Amino acid sequence: MEVTLVSEFAEHDRDPVSERPRGSLRVFADTVGLAAARVWRLRGRAWNTLRHPAGWELWRLPPAAVFWMLGTEIAVAVWALYSGFKDSVTATDLVRFGVIAGCTIWYLVQTQHPEEQRRADDRRGEHIDQTAVWLGSAAVLLPPTLSLVLLLMVRVQRYSIAHKAMTTFLFTTAAHAVSILGVHTITELTSLHAWLASGTLPQRAEDIVMAAVALVGAALWYFASQTLLISIARGLAWGGWRRQKLIGSWADNADFVYALQLAACTTILGAVNIALVPLVMIGVALRSTRLSQALADTIARSQRDRKTGLLTEDSFHAPAALRLLEDQTERRPTAFLMLDLDHFKQWNDKYGHSGGDIVLGCVSAVLRQNTRATDVVGRWGGEEFAVLLPDTTREEAMRIADRIREAVAKTAITGLTELASGHATNEPRAVGPILGCTVSIGVGLSPEHSTDYGELFRAADSAMYQAKRNGRNRVVMAPSEHASLVPEHAPMSRMGPTRPHT
């Protein structure tokens, strides 16, 4: 296996187009071309997935989750076909669709790169997409057929930058479709339909109240239907029903609600005069999304190590302790791995600190490739890493740890340079790929060693030191009585004495 990384966090995710000055028509044309190329390449991915149904990630889920997801998708397909058959499209609908679709495409192109970065950063958590600004308004203003066409456009483009399996993405799309179809039904059953058809704001107090209630009801349906369908799927798939695990944090849901508020504004403007939508809402939606993306990016960078992209030590504690507490509540085992690069000082001495950064980046890539989305992975400082594995037994923990150890040992590190000693210029010269990087790993288990987070860390930490004393490049499980193995200079926090390079 060969891994090449750069030391700057997320440097490999940068798009050449995004590095050019904004405001250029050439930049926008390049961005549109990139988006079109990515969507075009989906043909191969989709065809390859359809040709190998036995390999679908869906079949790895519990039967109840498979039944729920397939049943929901079939029901949505029937509902969409029924709505399409009784649908009628007018010239006004086509004009509205053209304007909203144009705004949506502009929005997708303008937010493509930061959205891709956010999705990459949110692989281990909840992600809220603010395309509801356009899809929510389309569900009210347009017939179901045109609304679903717009949904398909959005989802195909988003899938081209998503880091998800197709089966998961299809179910999420079905949940969006349920929201759109339900909103249209509410519109048809209330006076909102007549108000939208007239193109004028209601004047009487009772009409204003009814229109407001209908809009609020449509927004509640859009929010609740998606949340409920996806939460049930997650609960059936993961076997847990904790609120934050199912529907995300309050901040995530606040972002969703805010997007629906913007959708309501878009709906009102579109009903009065569709030309107001691009004049007003494109700027508002782009500004809102970019601020949200910038804030998320700032938070992600503040919590992640600059050289590896993994969580920093300070950012590691809270999610790791939370995962441990969740496992204790559900009476599940937890594993804690502490890893230390063997003879890391020699890499720094021979290839310089830039070479050491490359080695750290390669090891972090191995950790990402060999851990799950629910695992917590961080760089503990220096040449040490920590991994918390929720819902993991002793046998599974040893197997994962040994897999990581073997993967690191087999990794060919490229991009290293060393001084060409003996040459007159003594200029650096490229070397590699280089094998020989190894790690020593200690494993602590909950509840076997301790249910306390700090004690579990110390059990894994002492086992890691035992692995180094036993010859390095090995995995050691902490004994039940691990206190005697804890070195005096192995504090829980970096506030204590500094560990020597090993």
Side-chain angles (χ1 to χ4, degrees):
M1 180 172 64
E2 183 171 320
V3 181
T4 305
L5 289 183
V6 292
S7 60
E8 184 71 25
F9 169 47
E11 185 77 17
H12 60 284
D13 289 322
R14 290 185 180 176
D15 191 332
V17 172
S18 66
E19 300 296 329
R20 299 176 183 173
R22 289 183 179 178
S24 167
L25 291 177
R26 176 64 183 275
V27 172
F28 180 73
D30 289 345
T31 307
V32 172
L34 178 62
R38 284 177 169 171
V39 171
W40 183 254
R41 285 199 299 268
L42 287 180
R43 297 175 306 125
R45 287 172 60 185
W47 176 241
N48 186 57
T49 301
L50 293 174
R51 286 174 55 200
H52 303 92
W56 291 354
E57 188 181 76
L58 178 68
W59 312 126
R60 303 174 194 170
L61 300 177
V66 175
F67 178 80
W68 174 255
M69 293 175 71
L70 289 179
T72 300
E73 289 166 356
I74 292 172
V76 170
V78 172
W79 191 359
L81 288 174
Y82 171 75
S83 299
F85 279 125
K86 70 183 190 69
D87 208 359
S88 60
V89 178
T90 65
T92 301
D93 293 331
L94 292 175
V95 171
R96 287 177 172 176
F97 172 76
V99 172
I100 295 176
C103 294
T104 304
I105 292 172
W106 181 273
Y107 173 86
L108 293 175
V109 169
Q110 292 293 327
T111 60
Q112 175 177 262
H113 176 69
E115 182 68 19
E116 182 175 18
Q117 183 63 58
R118 280 192 66 194
R119 288 176 180 271
D121 292 340
D122 291 345
R123 285 195 302 269
R124 299 177 183 270
E126 181 70 15
H127 179 82
I128 301 298
D129 192 339
Q130 294 191 348
T131 52
V133 173
W134 312 109
L135 295 175
S137 61
V140 178
L141 293 171
L142 302 177
T145 301
L146 297 180
S147 299
L148 293 177
V149 169
L150 185 68
L151 172 64
L152 183 61
M153 291 168 50
V154 170
R155 297 300 288 172
V156 168
Q157 191 278 337
R158 286 313 197 209
Y159 183 65
S160 69
I161 61 174
H163 300 267
K164 290 184 178 180
M166 180 175 288
T167 50
T168 303
F169 211 74
L170 284 176
F171 180 78
T172 307
T173 303
H176 280 277
V178 169
S179 296
I180 289 174
L181 293 170
V183 166
H184 178 76
T185 301
I186 292 174
T187 303
E188 290 292 317
L189 295 176
T190 62
S191 58
L192 192 59
H193 173 69
W195 169 54
L196 294 173
S198 67
T200 58
L201 292 173
Q203 302 297 320
R204 296 185 304 173
E206 57 269 26
D207 291 340
I208 294 174
V209 171
M210 287 300 298
V213 170
L215 278 175
V216 171
L220 288 175
W221 170 267
Y222 196 99
F223 174 84
S225 57
Q226 284 188 47
T227 302
L228 182 63
L229 290 173
I230 295 174
S231 297
I232 292 175
R234 287 175 174 172
L236 294 173
W238 296 343
W241 298 90
R242 297 179 65 85
R243 178 194 59 80
Q244 184 162 343
K245 191 173 183 180
L246 294 176
I247 65 174
S249 66
W250 293 115
D252 295 329
N253 289 287
D255 286 343
F256 195 5
V257 171
Y258 179 65
L260 291 178
Q261 290 175 328
L262 293 182
C265 294
T266 306
T267 301
I268 295 172
L269 291 176
V272 175
N273 189 336
I274 194 63
L276 295 175
V277 172
L279 291 176
V280 177
M281 293 311 301
I282 281 186
V284 173
L286 284 176
R287 182 68 173 172
S288 170
T289 300
R290 283 173 174 165
L291 285 174
S292 176
Q293 291 169 338
L295 177 61
D297 183 65
T298 300
I299 293 174
R301 289 179 181 273
S302 68
Q303 294 178 343
R304 296 189 178 272
D305 175 60
R306 185 168 172 266
K307 296 178 180 179
T308 64
L310 303 179
L311 292 173
T312 63
E313 178 186 349
D314 291 338
S315 301
F316 180 91
H317 293 310
L322 179 60
R323 294 286 194 278
L324 177 62
L325 181 60
E326 289 177 346
D327 278 353
Q328 291 173 9
T329 303
E330 301 293 334
R331 298 184 180 276
R332 296 188 300 243
T334 312
F336 197 115
L337 310 184
M338 283 297 297
L339 302 86
D340 187 274
L341 272 66
D342 299 326
H343 303 295
F344 183 67
K345 187 175 184 299
Q346 296 179 8
W347 291 90
N348 273 332
D349 291 344
K350 188 172 184 178
Y351 302 107
H353 288 291
S354 61
D357 292 346
I358 291 175
V359 174
L360 292 173
C362 290
V363 173
S364 70
V366 171
L367 289 176
R368 284 196 188 91
Q369 294 163 2
N370 290 275
T371 53
R372 304 162 297 184
T374 54
D375 300 334
V376 185
V377 186
R379 181 188 174 201
W380 205 259
E383 65 273 24
E384 296 177 354
F385 298 84
V387 181
L388 186 123
L389 304 170
D391 193 13
T392 303
T393 64
R394 166 187 277 263
E395 294 74 18
E396 291 170 339
M398 291 298 290
R399 185 169 63 250
I400 293 170
D402 203 56
R403 186 174 69 213
I404 291 172
R405 182 194 62 80
E406 290 183 356
V408 171
K410 294 178 180 177
T411 296
I413 301 173
T414 62
L416 298 174
T417 60
E418 64 179 359
L419 291 179
S421 56
H423 290 255
T425 58
N426 208 31
E427 290 292 330
R429 62 182 177 84
V431 296
I434 301 293
L435 293 170
C437 180
T438 60
V439 292
S440 299
I441 305 177
V443 182
L445 299 173
S446 173
E448 180 176 331
H449 298 127
S450 178
T451 57
D452 178 76
Y453 175 71
E455 292 181 2
L456 185 61
F457 155 75
R458 284 185 280 273
D461 195 54
S462 63
M464 180 193 72
Y465 271 86
Q466 188 63 48
K468 300 187 82 66
R469 286 193 291 267
N470 290 350
R472 297 182 173 84
N473 189 24
R474 63 193 63 227
V475 178
V476 170
M477 173 68 68
S480 297
E481 298 295 333
H482 65 273
S484 61
L485 293 177
V486 180
E488 293 182 0
H489 60 284
M492 175 66 178
S493 170
R494 282 283 169 229
M495 297 300 290
T498 304
R499 291 175 179 165
H501 289 292
T502 49

